[in-house]
Structures are given as structure tokens and as C-alpha cells.
Amino acid sequence: MNSPPLTDLSDRAREIFRLVVEGYLESGTPVGSKALAGEGGVNLSPASIRSVLAELEQRGLLAAPHTSAGRMPTDSGLRLFVDAMMQVAEPTAAERAAIEQRLAEPGPIERALERTSALLSDLSGAAGMVMVPRREPRLAQVSLTALDANRVLAVLVGEDGQVENRIVALPAEALGTSLEQASNFLTAKAAGRTLAEAAQLVAHEISSGRSALDEASRDLVERGIATWTEDASNRPVLIVRGQANLLDEGALSDIERVRSLLDDLENKQSVASLLESAREAEAMRIFIGSENRLFSLSGSSVIAAPYRDSEGKVVGVLGVIGPTRLNYARVVPMVDFTARSLGKRIG
């Protein structure tokens, strides 16, 4: 979505555009010429202001809702404002202390991620989102147990004590005594390695003929490792808190939009895919309304930032989602500071 360069606008058009956007973001309602000509507004007649508003509307930066004489920014207008005009308001000392204190509370990292999502919701007045880091646990032990004629329960024990259970479908001839042999082989090769590393090593040993596995055990190992690796890489976990914040007074007049947004949030896989773009870009991303196909119906905005571990590696993404009238100037630096604070917590 392309918006005209800021230099294409006259000084008075820029000023009126700024006042309309800031007024809309503050009130959530269209801004009329009378409000713009009032105290603290522009020193122009209402007729001159209406002329400039019409010009800005023609350029696609403002729109007039069906029954209102006021104007509100379009998605293109919001993009121009956010990219070229917005003056961010850094979090206050009290806000920074509150964020750091909340994240410093004791408990497992999963609890810290849940607190982060709730914190973002509280601070933004929208819904907070945190994508859980893709775990690359190192394994300590692997055991296989037959469930029935065609299924095996694989139990993976990590070096950190975490236990995961997976069910692997296998042909009947792969079961029986092969289970013990396959378990011992996997434990020997996977101990101290991630699943991806173990899969690579096992595949190399089998293809080179260096493993002493019989055919049934080899099939069991190959299928099991492939299944675990694929499953682990396709399980983005998204924590969302504060959906109730989306049901504000403004939402009641546009309940279909809010219903569409809540449906989008229920489909966490799609939202997680959107947040992945912030991970890949390794920088703050702001999605406004119809710029993104996922939220084209709900007319929502997403502000997302990656967070890093102590080595500077991006391990996850956090952010907020809400109506396009989000207070970008306040929320953008808040999301950025929270991402940096969470990174310190993860270490």
C-alpha cells in the first residue's frame, strides 16, 4: 500500500493531516473542520480547512465515514503518519520499572512469557501476543514403547528434565524386539544433541552403512526421527492475553469487525505466521489494517518486535493487536522496550 510522499503536501496540509490523525487516534471518532478551527487548531477559516480536507481525501490519506462530516485517516494515511510524522513517547521511568519488575518475577520461562503477553495487553489497552521461542532441547534419553500393532509411543527426555511424548505410526513388522535396539541406538546417537542434529547424524550413519541396526530397527529410527524433527519445527506456540480489551465502546458499533478479529486470533497458526515476518526481518514491524490480508476484514493493526537471547539471536516475537486507532506513538516504544527486557530475562 503506497501513500504519497510527505514532501508532496503543503505545510498547512501536513499540519491539518497531523491534527486529524492525532485527534482520531485519541478519540476514535472522525475529526471535523470545526474542531480543527477551534482552540489549539489551525489559523484558517472552516471553508479553507474543508478545502484542505477534500484535497487530503482525494489523495487517499483521509476518508469521510458514511454519515459523518468529519474525516478519519485511511490505512495509507496511518502508514504515512507512522513512518514519517509520528513522534514516539518513550516509556516513563515508572513504566520501565513496572515492566522489568513483572518480568523479573521468579518462575519458569513459560510463566514469564504469559506475564509478558498480559503486560503488553495492560499497557496498550489492546491484546498482547508473545510467540514462544522455538525450543532446541538437547536430548538425554529416548525410549520407545508399543501402543498397539501399528503405533509406538516415543518418550523424549531432555537434558533439562523436560519430557515430551510423541506417537509414531509404523508398520507391524517394525515392532517387537526392534524397539529395544532402536531405543538404545537413538539414545546413544541423540544424547547431548538436538533433534535436528541427531536426525542428521542418524541419517548419515544409516546411509553409509555404518550402523548395526537390522532392517526393522532402521525403519523405526528413520521414521521416528523424521516425525519428531518435522513436528518440532512446525509447532509455533502463540500466547494471547487481553482479548476482552478489544470489546470496547467503539467495538460495539462495529461488532462484525471485532468478531472477525477474534476469529483471526483463534487461528493462532495464521497469526504466528504473520509474526514470523518480524523474526525474519529482525526488526520492529507495524502492520496496519488492509496492508495485511489476514486482517483486511477486521481492520486491525499489529505492532510486533523480535526478542533476542544473550547471544543476540532472535528467539521469538512479541507484540500487540488492536484496532487501527492504536496509540502508535506510545505503544511502539513500549513494545520495543518490553522485547529488550524479555531478552534480558531469557539470557
Side-chain angles (χ1 to χ4, degrees):
M1 180 178 299
N2 296 321
S3 53
L6 194 61
T7 52
D8 285 359
L9 301 178
S10 65
D11 290 343
R12 72 176 186 177
R14 283 199 294 269
E15 179 64 9
I16 289 176
F17 174 68
R18 180 185 66 80
L19 289 172
V20 170
V21 176
E22 290 179 348
Y24 171 74
L25 294 180
E26 181 178 350
S27 67
T29 58
V31 179
S33 57
K34 288 183 179 180
L36 293 170
E39 184 177 353
V42 292
N43 188 23
L44 292 172
S45 68
S48 297
I49 292 174
R50 285 194 294 271
S51 175
V52 175
L53 291 174
E55 175 195 345
L56 292 169
E57 186 175 355
Q58 187 175 16
R59 287 174 174 268
L61 297 175
L62 299 181
H66 38 281
T67 59
S68 172
R71 302 300 202 283
M72 57 186 286
T74 61
D75 291 346
S76 293
L78 283 173
R79 172 55 63 189
L80 177 64
F81 176 80
V82 166
D83 289 347
M85 300 182 72
M86 181 177 69
Q87 295 182 338
V88 298
E90 292 297 328
T92 65
E95 288 170 335
R96 293 196 299 271
I99 293 171
E100 291 174 337
Q101 181 180 359
R102 183 85 68 90
L103 294 183
E105 293 175 7
I109 189 61
E110 288 77 12
R111 286 289 300 139
L113 296 175
E114 291 179 3
R115 287 195 295 267
T116 300
S117 184
L119 178 66
L120 287 169
S121 174
D122 293 342
L123 294 172
S124 67
M129 303 181 295
V130 176
M131 195 157 67
V132 176
R134 287 177 177 171
R135 288 184 174 274
E136 288 291 338
R138 296 195 175 274
L139 297 172
Q141 182 179 350
V142 179
S143 64
L144 304 171
T145 304
L147 292 178
D148 53 37
N150 297 101
R151 293 186 307 160
V152 168
L153 174 66
V155 181
L156 287 72
V157 181
E159 290 183 338
D160 59 357
Q162 182 180 357
V163 178
E164 289 200 24
N165 299 321
R166 310 283 175 84
I167 295 178
V168 181
L170 293 165
E173 59 269 20
L175 302 181
T177 57
S178 300
L179 281 175
E180 183 178 358
Q181 185 186 19
S183 294
N184 293 337
F185 178 82
L186 284 173
T187 294
K189 300 304 178 184
R193 296 183 172 89
T194 66
L195 286 174
E197 292 168 348
Q200 186 176 16
L201 176 63
V202 167
H204 177 71
E205 291 216 0
I206 290 178
S207 64
S208 64
R210 286 162 51 189
S211 75
L213 293 172
D214 60 30
E215 184 176 349
S217 297
R218 199 159 48 241
D219 184 53
L220 181 63
V221 168
E222 287 179 323
R223 287 172 181 252
I225 284 288
T227 301
W228 298 333
T229 305
E230 179 182 359
D231 181 64
S233 64
N234 287 312
R235 288 187 303 137
V237 179
L238 187 68
I239 301 173
V240 182
R241 296 289 183 272
Q243 292 97 319
N245 286 341
L246 303 174
L247 300 171
D248 58 11
E249 292 182 5
L252 297 180
S253 62
D254 196 1
I255 197 65
E256 285 304 316
R257 179 190 66 78
V258 177
R259 182 178 290 116
S260 175
L261 172 56
L262 293 176
D263 287 344
D264 291 336
L265 289 178
E266 282 298 313
N267 183 8
K268 291 184 177 181
Q269 182 67 45
S270 296
V271 179
S273 298
L274 173 66
L275 295 183
E276 278 292 310
S277 63
R279 176 201 291 270
E280 294 164 2
E282 298 195 354
M284 175 84 68
R285 295 293 303 274
I286 303 175
F287 304 93
I288 299 176
S290 57
E291 289 181 344
N292 183 268
R293 183 180 57 83
L294 178 61
F295 300 118
S296 59
L297 294 178
S298 62
S300 306
S301 287
V302 174
I303 300 172
Y307 57 95
R308 294 169 166 79
D309 60 17
S310 58
E311 298 178 352
K313 178 183 177 182
V314 174
V315 293
V317 182
L318 57 78
V320 302
I321 181 171
T324 55
R325 62 178 185 277
L326 282 171
N327 185 342
Y328 299 91
R330 180 174 180 271
V331 175
V332 166
M334 195 82 70
V335 168
D336 179 64
F337 183 79
T338 305
R340 287 185 277 120
S341 299
L342 180 58
K344 293 177 183 177
R345 167 67 172 81
I346 290 176

